Amino acid sequence: MGLLRIMMPPKLQLLSILAFGVSMLFIENQIQKLEESRTKLERTIARHEVREVEQRHTQDGVRDTPPLAEAEDVVIIYNRVPKTASTSFTNIAYDLCGKNHFHVLHINTTKNNPVMSLQDQVRFVRNVTSWREMKPGFYHGHVAFLDFSKYGVRGKPVYINVVRDPIQRLVSYYYFLRFGDDYRPGLRRRKQGDKKTFDECVSAGGSDCASEKLWLQIPFFCGHYSECWNVGSRWALDQAKYNLLNEYLLVGVTEELEDFIMMLEAALPRFFKGATGLYKTGKKSHLRKTTEKKPPTKESVAKLQQSDIWKMENEFYEFALEQFQFVRAHAVREKDGELYLLAQNFFYEKIYPKVN
């Protein structure tokens, strides 16, 4: 007796496909809602913890508290530019904070808006400078540079940052919005479902790959002035250069991240002792990788390079790269393909008056 072959009518097949599609959309929607609920819960818990610490700080303020030791009274702010290997670097700080005894805090702004309101600027500056329980502290987040000297507080944080080739940064961000990364692969991204490649976007004159989208690293370093966010502003470029030289201890480049980490370990061992070894051997050194990323063609790159915006962003990147390489040249030496930190190269002499 032969096997019965049951054929599903075409209408039922179509209904089954539609039902499956609706089910998948429903599941994705539920995952997104769960992710949003988790984020809200994390923020609520964080606010509650901050209030508890602030209450303790207020109560302690009534009593005389001894000043912190100089080595402990330090705050680093890493106002990270999106898609510059910032997650890879930040995870090193998270891995080291327990061993090196410092605090790591993420600055989570609403909708990742890098510009704070005036009242939030004041709150943030006061928190950073007076929050004893969180010192020494490493703050990181997608926030534009803030000049602490404007707010009448004592002491300034140590700023660090990393920049990246502007076109490579934009390409990475373009695919990140569509395909996400291997850090949270299940999270639905804003442009998920759009299969258009970066080259196709450039060819079609799309908004997500327009030259205006390159304007990001300059305003992040320029800060909270309105002119910083006027695309193509020469004043913003000059201010960003000024801040890089005068307000940042060190600005590295994504393409030479290991050298950046090595130099931070040498300059700030209180925070970064062991960072270089961790970066070379740790599993999290390249934790976040954008998926489905395709390198742009020479034609797409050439088209973007025709814009004045690219020329300005690239000028800033080259400026940062030159400064980083200058600092590195005076801090390390290369031998057999490996970099070695220079020993201390100054000492004191002719000290008067003489001590008997």
Side-chain angles (χ1 to χ4, degrees), residues 36 44 108 135 199 257 351:
E36 290 173 357
T44 302
N108 192 343
K135 291 182 180 180
D199 292 321
L257 190 62
I351 302 172

Side-chain angles (χ1 to χ4, degrees), residues 330 342-349:
H330 289 79
L342 293 175
Q344 182 171 313
N345 201 27
F346 72 93
F347 60 94
Y348 303 102
E349 62 179 6

Side-chain angles (χ1 to χ4, degrees), residues 40-93:
K40 289 179 181 178
L41 179 60
E42 286 179 349
R43 287 181 178 176
T44 302
I45 293 172
R47 290 193 185 105
H48 177 69
E49 290 176 345
V50 168
R51 280 196 296 268
E52 283 189 337
V53 173
E54 286 179 339
Q55 285 173 1
R56 289 200 303 270
H57 178 69
T58 302
Q59 292 168 0
D60 291 342
V62 178
R63 301 186 296 268
D64 291 332
T65 54
L68 288 171
E70 185 177 358
E72 305 301 299
D73 194 12
V74 180
V75 169
I76 295 175
I77 295 182
Y78 172 35
N79 62 316
R80 45 196 281 198
V81 180
K83 307 314 296 177
T84 56
S86 60
T87 299
S88 298
F89 174 61
T90 301
N91 275 296
I92 291 176

Side-chain angles (χ1 to χ4, degrees), residues 65 91 103 141 167 194 203 217 232-233 239 241 256 266 319 333:
T65 54
N91 275 296
H103 301 275
I167 291 180
D194 180 5
S203 179
Q217 297 185 134
S233 167
Q239 185 66 33
K241 288 181 177 180
E256 298 173 16
F319 179 83
R333 288 291 181 270

Side-chain angles (χ1 to χ4, degrees), residues 77-294:
I77 295 182
Y78 172 35
N79 62 316
R80 45 196 281 198
V81 180
K83 307 314 296 177
T84 56
S86 60
T87 299
S88 298
F89 174 61
T90 301
N91 275 296
I92 291 176
Y94 277 111
D95 285 345
L96 289 174
C97 65
K99 179 181 178 182
N100 291 347
H101 307 293
F102 65 91
H103 301 275
V104 181
L105 300 90
H106 179 217
I107 311 162
N108 192 343
T109 59
T110 303
K111 296 183 179 179
N112 284 330
N113 185 356
V115 177
M116 290 183 176
S117 66
L118 180 61
Q119 57 270 33
D120 275 348
Q121 292 176 42
V122 173
R123 291 187 190 107
F124 177 67
V125 169
R126 287 177 177 171
N127 284 154
V128 168
T129 53
S130 63
W131 200 354
R132 290 170 56 94
E133 291 83 357
M134 292 297 113
K135 291 182 180 180
F138 178 94
Y139 291 74
H140 67 95
H142 298 313
V143 181
F145 170 77
L146 263 177
D147 181 5
F148 275 55
S149 63
K150 291 171 53 178
Y151 302 90
V153 295
R154 290 180 298 175
K156 295 173 67 174
V158 176
Y159 269 98
I160 62 172
N161 215 326
V162 178
V163 295
R164 186 178 185 179
D165 174 276
I167 291 180
Q168 293 303 319
R169 193 205 65 78
L170 179 61
V171 171
S172 183
Y173 189 63
Y174 178 88
Y175 285 108
F176 173 74
L177 290 180
R178 285 152 178 78
F179 300 102
D181 52 35
D182 54 2
Y183 184 51
R184 289 191 290 177
L187 182 61
R188 184 176 180 84
R189 300 296 174 180
R190 182 149 46 95
K191 296 284 184 175
Q192 188 169 323
D194 180 5
K195 305 294 185 182
K196 187 184 296 182
T197 67
F198 185 82
D199 292 321
E200 290 170 343
C201 178
V202 171
S203 179
S207 59
D208 285 347
C209 55
S211 59
E212 289 79 7
K213 296 293 184 180
L214 292 166
W215 190 260
L216 192 67
Q217 297 185 134
I218 287 174
F220 257 72
F221 278 79
C222 179
H224 277 69
Y225 304 106
S226 62
E227 187 64 21
C228 296
W229 300 89
N230 287 339
V231 178
S233 167
R234 170 57 61 172
W235 183 90
L237 171 59
D238 292 340
Q239 185 66 33
K241 288 181 177 180
Y242 176 87
N243 287 342
L244 185 148
L245 291 179
N246 294 281
E247 303 292 349
Y248 285 79
L249 174 69
L250 184 65
V251 175
V253 294
T254 303
E255 295 79 4
E256 298 173 16
L257 190 62
E258 183 178 329
D259 298 359
F260 171 72
I261 293 170
M262 177 186 291
M263 291 162 66
L264 279 179
E265 181 173 358
L268 299 169
R270 176 66 183 80
F271 288 82
F272 296 107
K273 183 180 180 180
T276 308
L278 186 62
Y279 179 80
K280 289 180 178 179
T281 61
K283 295 180 180 180
K284 293 184 178 180
S285 62
H286 295 285
L287 178 60
R288 174 169 286 192
K289 290 183 179 179
T290 303
T291 52
E292 301 292 333
K293 185 170 65 176
K294 299 176 177 65

